[in-house]
């Protein structure tokens, strides 16, 4: 991937993962510590439901794309599976809102918030599909624009939450404002896709089976990202979740710095491997690892030094 593309993706990722540094101070001032913790609990459950299927689909999409004889068929199968999976997750979240709230949130408003946020899975699955299309078709500009658009939406939601101080309204806006991005990026996605392939049930079933295997593996990633907060939510109170989660907002900067190097890596390695260029594959892997090391080590050291005073500036005592 060219330096221009890397810089573009870096900027969009820094903006996207830097958004919590902007929204975090607004939200902790808009709500009490208990209400902010309640929102984090709802977001954690929503993240769990989304992780059950969609990340696994992304991995299966990537794997089949690399070895596909007809990539248009892969695009069609992925579209059907992304949209149907999003609808399924929305239905599951809505139906299970009561039991999930009783286990993890234990507040009367928890069930209402979960039902408002249920549609997030369907909407975000469409955006996730668009991002995979832009990535595989190697359109980093469109991918970066979508990332930035999602960040802008989150900032708008945080500002409106500060003005309204209403958790229910915030849940509604957080869920449905991204529909503007779905509408806005539908035409660019269709243009990038071009001619659709035919839908083949056997191909879609193969992708679905692979996605379920990947989904099981992805749960370990989810446990690292959300599992500790979910356990705190179940075993303690909302305020403990709010205090514990504050450090995550700072650490997102590290993800933003590392992701641009991984963004196009799978596609490039897949192409080299498919052509039998083992040496080229190994060279790209080594170069990427070395570049990430040079960036991430100073970033970790610097963040360690400034994180404590920084979080006191962004949040409250």
């Amino acid at each position: 991937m060219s330096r221009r593309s890397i810089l573009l993706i870096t900027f969009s990722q820094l903006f996207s993962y830097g958004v919590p540094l902007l929204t975090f101070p607004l939200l902790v001032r808009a709500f009490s510590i208990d209400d902010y913790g309640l929102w984090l609990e709802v977001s954690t459950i929503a993240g769990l439901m989304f992780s059950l299927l969609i990340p696994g689909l992304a991995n299966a999409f990537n794997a089949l794309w690399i070895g596909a004889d007809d990539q248009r068929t892969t695009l069609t199968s992925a579209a059907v599976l992304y949209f149907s999976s999003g609808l399924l997750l929305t239905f599951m979240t809505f139906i299970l809102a009561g039991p999930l709230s009783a286990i993890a949130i234990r507040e009367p408003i928890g069930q209402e918030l979960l039902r408002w946020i249920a549609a997030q899975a369907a909407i975000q699955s469409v955006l996730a599909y668009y991002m995979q299309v832009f990535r595989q078709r190697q359109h980093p500009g469109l991918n970066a624009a979508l990332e930035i658009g999602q960040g802008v939406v989150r900032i708008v939601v945080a500002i409106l939450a500060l003005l309204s101080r209403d958790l229910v309204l915030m849940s509604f806006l957080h869920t449905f404002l991204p529909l503007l991005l779905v509408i806005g990026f539908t035409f660019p996605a269709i243009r990038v896709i071009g001619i659709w392939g035919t839908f083949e049930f056997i191909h879609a079933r193969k992708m679905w089976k692979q996605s379920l295997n990947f989904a099981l593996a992805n749960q370990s990633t989810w446990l690292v990202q959300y599992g500790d907060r979910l356990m705190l939510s179940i075993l303690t109170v909302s305020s403990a979740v709010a205090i514990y989660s504050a450090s995550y907002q700072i650490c997102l900067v590290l993800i933003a710095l590392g992701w641009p190097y991984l963004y196009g890596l799978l596609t490039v390695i897949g192409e080299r491997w498919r052509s039998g260029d083992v040496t080229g594959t190994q060279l790209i892997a080594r170069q990427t690892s070395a570049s990430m090391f040079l960036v991430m080590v100073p970033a970790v050291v610097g963040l360690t030094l400034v994180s404590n005073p920084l979080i006191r500036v962004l949040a409250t005592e």
Side-chain angles (χ1 to χ4, degrees):
M1 192 162 57
S2 66
R3 289 186 178 180
R4 179 178 177 275
S5 296
I6 291 178
L7 288 174
L8 186 61
I9 296 299
T10 301
F11 174 76
S12 67
Q13 289 294 305
L14 284 174
F15 179 80
S16 179
Y17 285 107
V19 164
L21 299 180
L22 301 175
T23 60
F24 176 52
L26 298 177
L27 295 178
V28 297
R29 287 164 175 80
F31 304 112
S32 66
I33 188 171
D34 291 316
D35 284 347
Y36 178 64
L38 178 61
W39 169 249
L40 290 174
E41 290 170 334
V42 171
S43 301
T44 299
I45 293 174
L48 166 62
M49 300 304 292
F50 189 80
S51 74
L52 292 178
L53 295 177
I54 305 304
L57 268 177
N59 290 330
F61 183 9
N62 290 332
L64 290 179
W65 178 270
I66 293 171
D69 294 325
D70 185 359
Q71 293 178 334
R72 293 180 300 175
T73 300
T74 302
L75 287 171
T76 303
S77 297
V80 173
L81 291 177
Y82 265 92
F83 301 158
S84 58
S85 297
L87 291 174
L88 175 62
L89 292 172
T90 290
F91 176 76
M92 289 174 55
T93 305
F94 188 87
I95 295 298
L96 297 175
L100 290 173
S101 177
I103 294 172
I105 301 176
R106 300 182 301 279
E107 293 289 343
I109 198 175
Q111 180 175 331
E112 181 181 3
L113 294 177
L114 283 173
R115 285 182 171 170
W116 274 116
I117 212 169
Q120 175 179 313
I123 296 170
Q124 291 299 326
S125 67
V126 177
L127 295 177
Y129 174 71
Y130 288 174
M131 294 187 72
Q132 285 299 321
V133 169
F134 297 153
R135 181 182 182 185
Q136 299 299 347
R137 291 293 196 187
Q138 299 186 19
H139 285 268
L142 287 172
N143 208 315
L146 183 51
E147 288 271 11
I148 293 171
Q150 290 179 303
V152 170
V153 167
R154 293 198 294 270
I155 293 173
V156 171
V157 170
I159 293 173
L160 294 175
L162 180 63
L163 296 175
S164 66
R165 301 179 186 274
D166 186 335
L167 272 178
V168 175
L169 177 61
M170 178 178 169
S171 299
F172 174 83
L173 294 172
H174 183 82
T175 300
F176 292 103
L177 267 186
L179 274 174
L180 298 176
L181 296 175
V182 172
I183 296 170
F185 280 88
T186 293
F187 178 75
I190 292 174
R191 181 173 55 83
V192 169
I193 292 170
I195 300 174
W196 288 90
T198 57
F199 177 74
E200 297 180 5
F201 178 77
I202 296 177
H203 186 275
R205 185 176 63 179
K206 181 180 179 181
M207 182 179 292
W208 176 250
K209 287 183 177 180
Q210 287 196 17
S211 73
L212 293 179
N213 293 332
F214 283 122
L216 291 175
N218 283 332
Q219 293 313 301
S220 61
T221 302
W222 182 89
L223 286 173
V224 171
Q225 293 179 336
Y226 298 102
D228 47 3
R229 279 174 281 180
L230 181 62
M231 292 304 299
L232 274 177
S233 177
I234 294 173
L235 300 176
T236 62
V237 293
S238 299
S239 57
V241 179
I243 294 170
Y244 179 79
S245 299
S247 60
Y248 279 84
Q249 314 305 320
I250 307 297
C251 293
L252 289 174
V253 174
L254 298 177
I255 300 176
L257 290 173
W259 175 246
Y261 295 96
L262 302 176
Y263 170 79
L265 184 62
L266 182 61
T267 302
V268 175
I269 283 181
E271 291 174 352
R272 294 290 182 95
W273 188 265
R274 189 179 183 185
S275 64
D277 186 5
V278 178
T279 302
T281 301
Q282 295 172 338
L283 178 62
I284 291 172
R286 286 196 296 267
Q287 290 176 340
T288 302
S289 300
S291 299
M292 289 185 65
F293 182 83
L294 291 175
V295 172
M296 297 300 293
V297 170
V300 170
V301 173
L303 193 60
T304 302
L305 296 175
V306 304
S307 58
N308 190 52
L310 180 59
I311 202 168
R312 291 181 180 275
V313 171
L314 294 174
T316 61
E317 291 295 330

